[in-house]
Amino acid sequence: MAPIQELIRGDWPARVLAAAQVMIATVAVVGIAAVVTLNPYILLGFGAAQGLIVIGIVLFVIVAMLSQRAMVLEEFSAGQIVFRQGDPGHHVYVIRSGTVELIAEKADGGGEIIDRLGPGDHFGDIALLRRNLPRQFTVKAATQAHIFRISPSGFVQLYASLPEFREYLRQREEPHLRRLAAVRKGPTQPLGPKPPK
Amino acid sequence: MFTEVWHQMRGVHGVFLEWGTALEWNIVFTFVLCLLILCCIGASLIVYRGRQTEGNALWLHLLGLCIFPLFLLPFGNFTIFEYSKQERFCASCHASMDPYVRDLTAPDGKSLAATHYQDRFAPGEECYTCHANYGVHGTFSAKLLGLKDAWRELTGTYTVPIKMSLPFPNALCLKCHNGARKFMKEDSHTDPGGVVARDLLTDKTLCTDCHVPGHLIPGRPKAAMKAS
């Protein structure tokens, strides 16, 4: 059940899209092999694989329609990972209920909690606003949590049009990054005061 | 395929032969569409890495995962169905079909198959033309039988020499010969009034009762021509 739950809760549009890409690319590779060699078995395989094209197109249409939604509410149970440090980041999350932990993972395999966030807090903006930067920490649900996942386009639209919002994010981001740098450089330090909301 | 196209392009005495049948164009279109699909998917993986479900990436996916595949469906299927009519497609099952190919191409071939093949009645599609019944139903049945034959060849569950599971129906001959001048001149083919004999139409008398052998395969009893 866990992989299915992960598929449903995680960044499933990207996974569904990847599945569509694999299916259609497979047909294309078989198609090239079939017309270049004109081998009867590869040709018949190409014919049999045509069904994958139909499935791939349907999956793409589903992703294209659903990825237009600006905000999706997701549910996480205690201990489940929202995203991992190093993952590519393109969504921003706002907590509706519950608590999450921001964990800085170290090279030796250990991890340290750098902050705890609750209802009204957000996370995930650092990787989005600094292009090509992967996730800087792992986020894990400490209790059962309901979290809004906001699409990058919706978030960037807000960021570009509201200067106050930009300033607010900058203030929130700095302490996190300072704390993160301290954790990675030196010995464990106590958690600092929570940044202003 | 490319060697074949090259030989075709060189032609005879340096004179270019015609190129551009529906099958040849479809092979080219299928190849190009497959290549375009792979290029789109590759480009999206490189350019939009990690944000493939956002913004402009979706336009690239619309091409690579929707529009080109939608075109590939008809072109690809046409290629498969048309190529499977070709004699070279049937001949590619070497172990079981080689004796038949040798019979077709033997310079002094006396069998019906050799006569039809060497007189170029249906260039390139001789096997299909004689073994597929008339109309859509005939095409469907022939493809289905072809699939079963391919499966037997793949799994090695066939016996040599190959035997026909059913008598060769007259309809397969009559779809071309019915109404032909030479055919209608023969008294045994017609009933009074100059129409095709009822016995032939109802398979009471089979064409292959008189006109044999269909294929001349070494190792099989050589049937003599019966007097009609």
Side-chain angles (χ1 to χ4, degrees):
Chain A
M1 284 301 287
I4 297 171
Q5 282 178 345
E6 182 70 18
L7 188 69
I8 294 168
R9 191 177 37 255
D11 191 8
W12 67 267
R15 294 174 195 195
V16 172
L17 193 77
Q21 284 176 323
V22 168
M23 286 180 193
I24 292 178
T26 303
V27 180
V29 169
V30 175
I32 287 176
V35 295
V36 168
T37 63
L38 289 177
N39 178 295
Y41 293 111
I42 303 179
L43 271 169
L44 291 175
F46 179 44
Q50 303 277 308
L52 291 179
I53 290 186
V54 177
I55 299 172
I57 291 172
V58 170
L59 291 181
F60 163 72
V61 170
I62 291 171
V63 170
M65 285 167 65
L66 295 184
S67 64
Q68 298 306 312
R69 291 196 302 174
M71 194 161 72
V72 179
L73 182 63
E74 295 181 340
E75 186 184 344
F76 294 85
S77 53
Q80 287 194 315
I81 301 292
V82 180
F83 56 72
R84 286 192 182 280
Q85 184 174 311
D87 285 352
H90 41 271
H91 288 102
V92 176
Y93 298 83
V94 177
I95 302 168
R96 182 187 182 192
S97 65
T99 309
V100 300
E101 291 171 344
L102 276 50
I103 303 166
E105 291 181 11
K106 296 175 182 176
D108 60 6
E112 186 175 335
I113 298 170
I114 58 168
D115 204 353
R116 288 191 180 83
L117 303 176
D121 289 332
H122 76 275
F123 56 93
D125 52 316
I126 298 174
L128 178 66
L129 295 175
R130 299 178 181 205
R131 197 169 163 155
N132 296 329
L133 197 66
R135 297 292 191 196
Q136 295 301 293
F137 36 74
T138 295
V139 176
K140 189 169 85 172
T143 64
Q144 189 181 32
H146 289 90
I147 301 173
F148 287 113
R149 193 188 69 194
I150 301 174
S151 76
S153 53
F155 180 78
V156 169
Q157 210 172 348
L158 283 175
Y159 187 84
S161 56
L162 298 174
E164 301 84 358
F165 185 57
R166 277 205 296 276
E167 181 57 25
Y168 163 74
L169 287 177
R170 196 185 59 75
Q171 287 175 5
R172 294 269 302 160
E173 174 184 296
E174 274 175 7
H176 276 157
L177 289 176
R178 271 205 308 275
R179 175 82 182 129
L180 196 63
V183 165
R184 285 184 183 150
K185 271 182 194 167
T188 305
Q189 293 174 13
L191 285 174
K194 279 195 83 148
K197 285 187 184 176
Chain B
M1 175 212 165
F2 291 117
T3 319
E4 218 168 275
V5 171
W6 171 243
H7 282 300
Q8 212 169 340
M9 283 173 69
R10 281 169 59 198
V12 180
H13 303 306
V15 178
F16 286 95
L17 296 180
E18 286 292 334
W19 184 91
T21 62
L23 175 62
E24 288 162 343
W25 273 111
N26 267 276
I27 288 175
V28 172
F29 280 139
T30 303
F31 181 80
V32 170
L33 282 169
C34 289
L35 212 56
L36 285 172
I37 288 170
L38 289 178
C39 286
C40 285
I41 292 175
S44 76
L45 290 174
I46 294 166
V47 179
Y48 296 105
R49 187 178 177 80
R51 50 197 171 95
Q52 292 216 16
T53 54
E54 300 299 330
N56 289 338
L58 286 175
W59 290 107
L60 192 57
H61 294 320
L62 183 68
L63 277 178
L65 300 181
C66 193
I67 292 175
F68 291 146
L70 276 177
F71 277 99
L72 182 62
L73 278 175
F75 282 115
N77 278 307
F78 187 89
T79 301
I80 295 161
F81 281 106
E82 279 302 302
Y83 187 73
S84 64
K85 290 180 182 177
Q86 300 283 309
E87 172 260 331
R88 51 194 163 160
F89 180 86
C90 306
S92 53
C93 289
H94 296 290
S96 51
M97 282 295 145
D98 273 355
Y100 293 85
V101 175
R102 280 196 293 274
D103 169 44
L104 290 176
T105 52
D108 54 347
K110 295 285 189 297
S111 67
L112 287 177
T115 308
H116 283 79
Y117 182 82
Q118 291 177 28
D119 285 345
R120 309 277 287 164
F121 280 110
E125 297 183 1
E126 289 84 358
C127 307
Y128 177 81
T129 305
C130 290
H131 288 278
N133 212 332
Y134 182 76
V136 174
H137 168 72
T139 300
F140 182 75
S141 310
K143 305 284 182 205
L144 206 61
L145 277 173
L147 272 181
K148 286 180 186 170
D149 290 344
W151 176 253
R152 288 193 197 105
E153 170 80 12
L154 186 67
T155 55
T157 52
Y158 60 89
T159 51
V160 179
I162 296 168
K163 290 174 187 165
M164 287 193 72
S165 55
L166 294 168
F168 196 82
N170 288 351
L172 298 181
C173 304
L174 290 175
K175 68 180 178 185
C176 293
H177 289 283
N178 189 0
R181 274 190 299 183
K182 197 176 168 187
F183 177 82
M184 299 305 280
K185 272 185 193 167
E186 176 60 48
D187 289 344
S188 60
H189 292 163
T190 55
D191 278 345
V195 293
V196 179
R198 170 181 283 273
D199 286 355
L200 289 177
L201 291 173
T202 56
D203 281 355
K204 197 172 174 186
T205 304
L206 291 173
C207 301
T208 49
D209 288 344
C210 305
H211 299 279
V212 285
H215 290 278
L216 201 57
I217 306 301
R220 286 176 67 181
K222 194 175 175 180
M225 288 281 281
K226 290 182 188 173
S228 57

